[in-house]
Amino acid sequence: MVHKIEPAAEPPVTLTSPYDLLTGYLDFYRETVLRKLEGMSDAELRNSRIPTGWSPLGLFKHLACVELRWMQWGFKGEHIEEPWAEFKNGSGPWHLEPGETFADVKEFFQEQCARSRAIVAAARLEDQAASLGGKVPADADRPTLIWILFHLLQEYARHVGHLDIARELADGAVGE
């Protein structure tokens, strides 16, 4: 049986500021990810329906780590103990700690998103990343904040599409 998930509100169509457009759509996709995952059973959150073996909960943790890596570790150059925490077990599907729950990952995700918003609010779109992977590359090789935000946006858009399919297969829920 198919049922519809109500979509989050998109940014206004009249926006002309690149900053407002990028940050507005990032928040739209962050909210969409939450809407896709909320209401799924624990079994479905942990279940993979595809050969690569990733689960919706693992993908959710991956998105939280992407926020942390690009904004705190890459853009701000902060020391992060485990910037690749979702890849702990090597090249397989995204890693979850034993006993890690949806509530745990949701809290981690929301913390990373809040931290990202604060970093973006204190910077300019043309500012360059402080480091990438703990290294300080030449200026020509450091992405700008606008590039990073666009990269995050495409990462979310791609993975929301994956969650569309996972959710529909899990319980028939569809919608943006």
Side-chain angles (χ1 to χ4, degrees):
M1 171 174 278
V2 173
H3 62 281
K4 189 150 175 77
I5 297 171
E6 288 303 314
E10 285 189 66
V13 297
T14 56
L15 284 179
T16 58
S17 160
Y19 176 90
D20 292 341
L21 194 60
L22 286 169
T23 58
Y25 264 103
L26 275 171
D27 281 339
F28 166 77
Y29 279 114
R30 290 166 177 146
E31 180 63 28
T32 300
V33 166
L34 289 170
R35 286 173 182 261
K36 290 285 175 191
L37 296 171
E38 288 176 340
M40 289 182 80
S41 71
D42 186 63
E44 287 295 348
L45 285 167
R46 295 173 182 284
N47 185 34
S48 178
R49 294 179 176 265
I50 59 174
T52 55
W54 65 264
S55 68
L57 188 58
L59 185 148
F60 190 32
K61 183 174 179 179
H62 166 66
L63 287 171
C65 290
V66 165
E67 292 265 359
L68 178 142
R69 259 193 312 276
W70 276 106
M71 297 308 301
Q72 295 171 52
W73 192 50
F75 185 72
K76 287 296 287 180
E78 296 174 2
H79 174 74
I80 303 295
E81 282 296 318
E82 292 186 274
W84 302 93
E86 80 274 37
F87 293 110
K88 265 187 178 178
N89 62 347
S91 62
W94 296 304
H95 174 77
L96 292 166
E97 293 294 333
E100 198 166 22
T101 66
F102 175 72
D104 296 334
V105 178
K106 181 179 177 181
E107 181 179 357
F108 177 60
F109 175 79
Q110 289 175 321
E111 288 169 359
Q112 302 323 304
C113 292
R115 181 74 177 114
S116 291
R117 283 185 199 98
I119 290 168
V120 170
R124 298 170 304 142
L125 293 177
E126 61 271 18
D127 290 348
Q128 289 184 294
S131 70
L132 292 174
K135 302 175 197 128
V136 181
D139 284 351
D141 296 328
R142 291 188 290 156
T144 58
L145 179 57
I146 195 169
W147 187 94
I148 291 170
L149 293 175
F150 194 85
H151 178 79
L152 288 174
L153 185 61
Q154 66 80 28
E155 180 103 12
Y156 272 100
R158 182 175 62 251
H159 288 317
V160 164
H162 295 139
L163 287 176
D164 283 341
I165 295 165
R167 183 68 192 258
E168 186 173 353
L169 289 171
D171 64 6
V174 297
E176 294 183 40

